[in-house]
């Protein structure tokens, strides 16, 4: 179809079903594990059962002799062939960074680390033979948990001499963005309000739907790697930079990828091992992890202790905020793991006008699975801290939690606003988002019901949780990232190819893993070019097709990649205008472009842009000064982050006799600027909400004292299902604030739900029992922990309840019993 007169109405803002879903839900997609190549070999990893040990010997003979086994290789066999897992973000010049070999030869630093690889003709044969590899270890003392790491009595890496990796500090007085926080704390201590708290961000597992998988084909002039990754371009760079193979000889393809949530924002040991095995054997190889391997050795997220001090005047006006983070990086500093807590440094001030602020982050190494980005990456941790503290401040002052926030937030007429952390917020209307959320939620009626239940002394109490948030999206601009010693830029690249038949190929450097890029980008291009939605094809995830790109994470795909695409489309229109003026024998300034057609102003003469694409193919008639193409590419580097925001309200019912919690109602009102596809946005918000709620109520990765992951399956690591959630009320501000960071007026949405929902839920649970003397419950707020908090308060602050005094808990995620793991 090349005619544009049949083109539907404007695409931006339309509920389009995702183009991707037809092949995804019918099984006609191509996951990495579906790829089969002639002569392909299969890999199985032999992993250490110990968190810390020296490798004294590895006997591979029995495994090598097994049927269909080709070879068994160890770290010593590979030598320098393996490359190294890089840390792309050293946050300080003196950061202690252990070398991270994909397969160590002499010492393991966490349970699950690979010590040998079995290469066989089938996956089953490789797995069976892996059981026959006999590894002798001398177990070493392991350091588990942040507080143990800080003691330095046991070292995760003895050669470093300490577990402390880096101390990163931001001080508003030193930066010139605010006053002295210690002065504010001193004044609050003598004539104001001073609130000091310690909160725990438990360790989480991304738990993506598709386990990690990699296929490497070394045959031919180019080595091709297929990987279930979020970062094909960065992975190609890492392979070239650490193995010596020219980047031009490496092709990385991320086919359809089944989720990531930051968990596939990584260059993994398994990718480097598969790469090395393929090069050594000269044959294609495949490795796909089991779910148990994924939970144990794919990177984890969060894992922080937050020590917070908030100073305020007696009326609740905040005068200073001091944050000290201790962040567990695990056994190694992963791709951007060391910098994830630092991202949160710029968000602890949130939507508020704090005059003084200090942030310190001490990263530590332990003998546990390494940590890195998990949906929100630093922003959820910061939002949780400040929103919990604002509730504590409201309780201290004796006012409604929304009132204390309004006293401190940035008013809409004050934008653009430079924060105490040094960022410039371009837009926002916190008043409007809050008013809409309150109305939809029925805030006043629920507060009245809460009061009635308390007065009656009901067994089941009602709590109302508030979370107001903003976040920095886009992970750009490049110059800012450079100032933070980040190892890459924040730009993105896109191209638009006008084909001879009038169809359009879009090439983007972002790489989707479930976000709906093919649909949303098709809508943008169809809308701007005036061509049918069905005529646009989006290509991505292949470094040979999309030769430039920085991939997908940090809510950057639309706000950075989409803007690169807009710039490329505008170049196409500009080039096409030159050809149209020649064919129509009109001055280019007299041409109007609308609905996919150039028309001569004041006449009915015109030509469709798709017809111009055909004209460049034939080349029969074009101006002498024109290159015979209307294709275009563009690279976009933002001048600022962008800042979505919102107000989330949650009502939780808490059984004060059993600790069981139940969600009653959840409403969120977000400002995400221009919405390209409301259907996709709803899916992103709903998914984000569930992940944030899951941190509040269910999920926790637990290692025992020896460093074994005891939550190593979905029996012990609780993921919610649809049966465990409710229908959410998702609304957006009626008149989105003007977003000045991109021409589409879009703001990030992929992480918003996760960032805001966790404190909303915990605030609601605490609010339900605050009148009983409870001011905090450690996440996840399992029935046991809620019950213990109530009993401790009733007992006058007792720290432990005898096991035989425990009530009986019903099974099921919403009423799930939980045992505290060691080392927390």
């Amino acid at each position: 179809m090349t005619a544009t007169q049949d083109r539907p109405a404007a695409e931006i803002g339309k509920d389009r079903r995702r183009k991707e879903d037809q092949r995804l839900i019918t099984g006609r997609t191509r996951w990495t594990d579906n790829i089969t190549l002639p002569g392909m070999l299969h890999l199985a990893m032999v992993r250490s059962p110990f968190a810390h040990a020296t490798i004294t010997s590895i006997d591979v003979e029995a495994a090598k002799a097994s049927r269909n086994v080709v070879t068994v290789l160890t770290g010593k066999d590979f030598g320098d062939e393996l490359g190294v897992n890089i840390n792309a973000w050293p946050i300080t010049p003196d950061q202690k960074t252990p070398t991270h070999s994909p397969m160590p030869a002499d010492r393991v630093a966490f349970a699950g680390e690979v010590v040998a690889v079995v290469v066989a003709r089938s996956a089953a044969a490789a797995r069976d033979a892996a059981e026959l590899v006999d590894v002798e270890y001398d177990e070493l003392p392991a350091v588990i948990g942040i507080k143990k790491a800080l003691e330095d009595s046991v070292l995760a890496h003895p050669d470093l001499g300490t577990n402390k990796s880096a101390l990163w500090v931001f001080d508003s007085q030193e930066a010139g963005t605010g006053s002295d926080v210690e002065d504010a704390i001193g004044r609050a201590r003598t004539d104001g309000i001073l609130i000091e708290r310690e909160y725990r961000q438990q360790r989480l597992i991304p738990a993506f739907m598709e386990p990690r998988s990699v296929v490497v084909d070394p045959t031919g002039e180019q080595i091709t790697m297929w990987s279930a990754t979020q970062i094909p371009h960065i992975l190609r760079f890492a392979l070239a930079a650490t193995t010596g193979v020219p980047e031009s000889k490496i092709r990385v393809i991320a086919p359809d990828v089944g989720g990531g949530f930051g968990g596939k924002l990584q260059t993994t040991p398994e990718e480097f091992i598969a790469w090395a095995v393929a090069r050594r054997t000269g044959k294609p190889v495949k490795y796909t992890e089991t779910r148990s391997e994924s939970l144990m050795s794919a990177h984890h997220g969060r894992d922080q202790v937050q020590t917070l001090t908030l100073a305020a005047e007696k009326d609740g006006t905040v005068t200073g905020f001091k944050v000290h983070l201790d962040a567990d990086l695990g056994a190694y500093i992963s791709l951007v793991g060391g910098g994830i807590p630092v991202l949160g440094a710029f968000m602890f001030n949130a939507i508020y006008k704090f005059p003084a602020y200090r942030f310190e982050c001490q990263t530590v190494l332990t003998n546990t699975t390494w940590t890195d980005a998990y949906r929100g990456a630093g922003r959820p941790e910061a939002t949780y801290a400040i929103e919990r503290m604002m509730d504590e401040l409201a309780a201290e002052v004796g006012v409604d939690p929304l009132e204390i926030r309004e006293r401190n937030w940035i008013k809409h007429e004050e934008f653009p606003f430079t924060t105490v952390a040094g960022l410039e917020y371009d837009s926002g209307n916190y008043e409007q988002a809050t008013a809409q959320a309150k109305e939809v939620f029925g805030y006043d009626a629920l507060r009245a019901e809460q009061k009635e239940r308390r007065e009656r002394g009901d067994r089941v109490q009602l709590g109302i949780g508030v979370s107001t948030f903003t976040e920095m999206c886009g992970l750009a601009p490049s110059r800012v990232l450079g100032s933070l010693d980040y190892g890459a830029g924040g730009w993105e690249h896109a191209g638009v190819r006008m084909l001879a038949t009038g169809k359009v190929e879009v090439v983007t450097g972002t790489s989707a893993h479930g976000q709906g890029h093919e649909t949303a980008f098709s809508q943008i291009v169809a809308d701007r070019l005036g061509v049918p939605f069905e005529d646009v094809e989006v290509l991505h995830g292949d470094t040979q097709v999309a030769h430039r790109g920085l991939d997908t994470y940090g809510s950057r795909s639309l706000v950075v990649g989409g803007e690169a695409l807009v710039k490329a489309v505008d170049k196409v229109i500009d080039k096409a205008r030159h050809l149209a003026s020649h064919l129509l024998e009109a001055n280019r300034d007299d041409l109007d472009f609308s609905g996919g057609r150039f028309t001569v102003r004041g006449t009915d003469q015109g030509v469709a842009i798709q017809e111009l694409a055909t004209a460049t193919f034939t080349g029969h008639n074009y101006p002498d000064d024109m290159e015979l193409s209307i294709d275009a590419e563009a690279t976009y580097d933002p001048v600022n982050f962008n800042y979505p925001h919102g107000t989330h309200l949650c009502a939780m019912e808490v059984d004060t006799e059993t600790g069981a919690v139940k969600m009653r109602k959840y409403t969120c009102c977000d400002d995400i600027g221009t919405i390209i596809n409301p259907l996709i946005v709803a899916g992103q918000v709903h998914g984000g909400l569930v992940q944030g709620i899951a941190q509040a109520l269910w999920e926790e990765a637990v290692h025992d004292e020896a460093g074994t992951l005891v939550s190593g399956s979905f029996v012990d690591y609780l993921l919610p299902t649809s049966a465990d959630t409710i229908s959410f009320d998702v609304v957006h501000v009626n008149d989105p604030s003007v977003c000045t960071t991109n021409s589409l007026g879009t703001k990030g949405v992929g992480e918003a739900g996760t960032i805001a929902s966790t404190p909303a839920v915990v605030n609601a649970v605490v609010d339900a029992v605050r009148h009983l003397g409870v001011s905090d419950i450690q996440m996840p707020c399992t029935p046991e922990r809620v019950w213990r908090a109530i009993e401790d308060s009733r007992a006058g602050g007792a720290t432990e309840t005898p096991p035989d005094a425990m009530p009986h808990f019903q099974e099921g995620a919403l009423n799930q019993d939980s045992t505290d793991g060691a080392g927390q």
Side-chain angles (χ1 to χ4, degrees):
M1 175 178 177
T2 57
T4 58
Q5 51 265 43
D6 297 326
R7 175 181 170 271
E11 287 291 338
I12 290 180
K14 180 178 289 187
D15 275 332
R16 279 281 190 182
R17 289 189 176 184
R18 302 195 322 174
K19 286 184 173 183
E20 303 90 324
D21 287 348
Q22 183 62 31
R23 69 175 186 273
L24 292 173
I25 64 178
T26 58
R28 290 184 292 161
T29 187
R30 202 179 194 203
W31 309 113
T32 301
D33 191 47
N34 295 146
I35 295 168
T36 301
L37 302 175
M40 187 170 71
L41 302 175
H42 296 263
L43 309 183
M45 305 298 168
V46 180
R47 298 180 183 274
S48 169
F50 299 109
H52 198 197
T54 56
I55 303 168
T56 59
S57 67
I58 303 179
D59 186 349
V60 302
E61 294 309 314
K64 275 187 175 180
S66 297
R67 184 185 178 94
N68 285 324
V69 170
V70 174
T71 189
V72 182
L73 299 165
T74 68
K76 288 183 178 179
D77 294 324
F78 281 114
D80 295 333
E81 296 175 52
L82 279 171
V84 65
N85 287 97
I86 61 174
N87 168 229
W89 195 353
I91 60 173
T92 64
D94 60 350
Q95 173 179 285
K96 300 286 188 181
T97 307
T99 300
H100 188 185
S101 169
M103 188 188 297
D106 54 2
R107 185 178 63 89
V108 294
F110 71 98
E113 190 159 15
V114 179
V115 297
V117 57
V118 176
V119 186
R121 293 183 178 88
S122 72
R127 287 193 296 269
D128 288 345
E131 298 290 331
L132 301 176
V133 176
D134 185 12
V135 186
E136 293 289 335
Y137 300 92
D138 279 341
E139 191 173 2
L140 299 169
V143 55
I144 309 298
I146 290 171
K147 293 187 178 181
K148 287 290 185 183
L150 289 169
E151 293 172 3
D152 267 348
S153 57
V154 176
L155 299 180
H157 296 276
D159 57 308
L160 296 181
T162 180
N163 295 318
K164 300 180 181 72
S165 176
L167 177 64
W168 192 92
V169 178
F170 175 89
D171 188 284
S172 63
Q173 185 180 38
E174 294 175 3
T177 57
S179 55
D180 182 9
V181 74
E182 295 298 340
D183 179 62
I185 291 171
R187 285 186 281 109
R189 195 182 302 276
T190 59
D191 189 29
I193 296 172
L194 191 67
I195 299 174
E196 297 173 290
R197 296 288 186 272
E198 180 180 286
Y199 295 135
R200 170 85 167 128
Q201 282 280 324
Q202 77 269 38
R203 181 176 283 239
L204 300 176
I205 300 175
F208 27 72
M209 185 179 293
E210 177 205 18
R212 297 175 303 162
S213 182
V214 58
V215 173
V216 181
D217 183 4
T219 60
E221 289 292 317
Q222 193 175 47
I223 304 174
T224 302
M225 175 183 284
W226 291 263
S227 183
T229 181
Q230 297 176 219
I231 52 168
H233 294 89
I234 293 171
L235 176 56
R236 181 176 71 160
F237 170 82
L239 288 168
T242 65
T243 67
V245 177
E247 197 170 354
S248 60
K249 297 294 185 182
I250 303 172
R251 180 182 185 183
V252 176
I253 302 171
D256 286 317
V257 176
F261 312 121
K264 292 173 182 172
L265 170 57
Q266 201 58 257
T267 59
T268 70
E270 294 85 356
E271 287 165 333
F272 281 90
I273 293 168
W275 167 273
V277 172
R279 295 185 68 199
R280 175 172 281 226
T281 62
K283 292 186 176 294
V285 303
K286 178 196 287 186
Y287 168 74
T288 301
E289 68 184 0
T290 65
R291 181 59 68 181
S292 295
E293 287 179 297
S294 180
L295 294 173
M296 177 172 57
S297 59
H299 80 242
H300 295 171
R302 312 286 195 255
D303 206 349
Q304 298 178 2
V305 173
Q306 304 171 325
T307 303
L308 310 168
T309 305
L310 186 142
E313 296 175 357
K314 291 180 179 179
D315 67 352
T317 302
V318 176
T319 56
F321 192 38
K322 183 179 179 181
V323 178
H324 179 87
L325 289 189
D326 293 310
D328 189 349
L329 304 181
Y332 298 104
I333 306 180
S334 53
L335 189 67
V336 293
I340 294 302
V342 171
L343 276 179
F346 303 99
M347 289 285 102
F348 275 87
N349 53 284
I351 66 171
Y352 306 114
K353 294 182 288 189
F354 294 167
Y357 171 60
R358 181 178 172 86
F359 172 92
E360 301 171 352
C361 177
Q362 176 68 67
T363 57
V364 298
L365 298 160
T366 61
N367 294 119
T368 57
T369 307
W370 31 323
T371 61
D372 204 312
Y374 175 62
R375 196 170 187 172
R379 281 81 48 85
E381 298 92 313
T383 301
Y384 180 84
I386 186 55
E387 289 305 289
R388 289 287 295 113
M389 291 294 278
M390 294 304 281
D391 259 33
E392 293 302 294
L393 179 60
E396 184 71 23
V397 177
V399 298
D400 187 276
L402 281 175
E403 183 178 340
I404 208 71
R405 287 165 170 82
E406 185 174 2
R407 289 182 187 179
N408 287 281
W409 69 32
I410 306 160
K411 305 297 191 292
H412 71 275
E413 64 269 15
E414 295 177 295
F415 289 96
F417 185 90
T418 300
T419 74
V420 72
L423 297 182
E424 183 181 277
Y425 294 176
D426 68 310
S427 60
N429 193 327
Y430 309 142
E431 303 97 320
Q432 185 180 18
T434 301
Q436 283 187 233
K438 281 185 67 177
E439 181 179 356
V440 174
F441 185 68
Y443 188 85
D444 294 337
L446 284 168
R447 280 293 184 200
E449 180 185 340
Q450 179 189 50
K451 181 180 178 182
E452 291 171 3
R453 289 197 189 194
R454 288 188 178 180
E455 290 172 349
R456 290 195 305 264
D458 286 1
R459 167 179 168 172
V460 177
Q461 288 291 313
L462 180 66
I464 297 170
V466 176
S467 175
T468 53
F469 85 102
T470 188
E471 56 160 323
M472 49 191 286
C473 285
L475 202 60
S478 297
R479 293 184 182 92
V480 172
L481 297 179
S483 70
L484 295 172
D485 296 317
Y486 183 76
W491 54 266
E492 194 47 75
H493 188 78
V496 177
R497 303 169 183 162
M498 301 297 296
L499 304 182
T501 57
K503 308 296 184 181
V504 183
E505 279 185 348
V506 172
V507 181
T508 173
T510 66
S511 177
H513 46 279
Q515 294 91 339
H517 290 186
E518 294 175 32
T519 303
F521 288 164
S522 292
Q523 289 180 265
I524 292 171
V525 172
D527 208 72
R528 210 160 185 100
L529 278 184
V531 302
F533 171 79
E534 296 77 12
D535 283 2
V536 183
E537 185 79 14
V538 178
L539 308 177
H540 61 90
D542 184 337
T543 60
Q544 192 154 292
V545 175
H547 61 93
R548 297 193 74 215
L550 283 175
D551 309 319
T552 296
Y553 38 84
S555 299
R556 71 185 303 273
S557 293
L558 179 59
V559 299
V560 185
E563 188 66 12
L565 182 55
V566 166
K567 290 185 176 300
V569 170
D570 288 349
K571 287 183 179 181
V572 168
I573 294 171
D574 189 61
K575 293 171 77 173
R577 182 183 297 276
H578 187 41
L579 178 58
S581 68
H582 173 79
L583 295 178
L584 295 172
E585 298 181 346
N587 190 300
R588 59 179 292 145
D589 294 334
D590 293 332
L591 297 183
D592 292 327
F593 182 70
S594 178
R597 287 183 63 83
F598 289 97
T599 56
V600 181
R601 196 174 299 119
T603 75
D604 59 0
Q605 290 182 287
V607 62
I609 195 167
Q610 291 172 296
E611 294 171 325
L612 295 174
T614 304
T616 62
F617 172 74
T618 61
H620 295 163
N621 186 8
Y622 64 96
D624 293 338
D625 62 347
M626 179 185 176
E627 178 187 3
L628 195 54
S629 169
I630 58 173
D631 298 350
E633 296 184 356
T635 299
Y636 173 64
D637 193 10
V639 297
N640 194 3
F641 301 98
N642 77 66
Y643 302 95
H645 70 84
T647 297
H648 290 224
L649 302 173
C650 176
M652 297 291 295
E653 293 180 334
V654 177
D655 189 321
T656 59
E657 293 187 11
T658 68
V661 299
K662 182 179 180 180
M663 187 170 289
R664 164 86 171 271
K665 189 176 181 65
Y666 196 103
T667 299
C668 61
C669 181
D670 295 330
D671 175 4
I672 58 168
T674 302
I675 296 175
I676 305 299
N677 186 317
L679 197 62
I680 290 177
V681 165
Q684 290 276 22
V685 173
H686 280 236
L689 291 176
V690 172
Q691 281 188 289
I693 293 166
Q695 177 176 6
L697 298 180
W698 301 303
E699 293 186 35
E700 182 173 25
V702 179
H703 292 87
D704 66 16
E705 291 179 348
T708 301
L709 183 69
V710 297
S711 53
S713 76
F714 288 151
V715 173
D716 301 296
Y717 188 84
L718 297 183
L719 287 180
T721 69
S722 58
D724 301 315
T725 59
I726 65 172
S727 295
F728 309 120
D729 295 319
V730 177
V731 294
H732 302 283
V733 291
N734 294 328
D735 184 19
S737 302
V738 175
C739 175
T740 63
T741 60
N742 61 78
S743 63
L744 286 170
T746 56
K747 301 182 181 183
V749 68
E751 297 161 302
T754 307
I755 290 168
S757 59
T758 307
V761 173
V762 175
N763 279 340
V765 173
V766 173
D767 185 59
V769 294
R770 188 181 288 277
H771 65 295
L772 302 177
V774 176
S775 62
D776 188 36
I777 300 169
Q778 182 176 300
M779 295 188 291
C781 297
T782 61
E784 179 185 345
R785 286 180 176 166
V786 174
W787 181 84
R788 284 187 184 276
I790 295 170
E791 291 301 304
D792 286 351
S793 179
R794 287 172 174 166
T799 58
E800 189 171 346
T801 302
D804 57 3
M806 291 290 295
H808 172 71
F809 294 106
Q810 296 179 347
E811 294 184 356
L814 274 175
N815 297 290
Q816 179 66 40
D817 186 12
S818 172
T819 56
D820 290 345
Q824 297 182 61

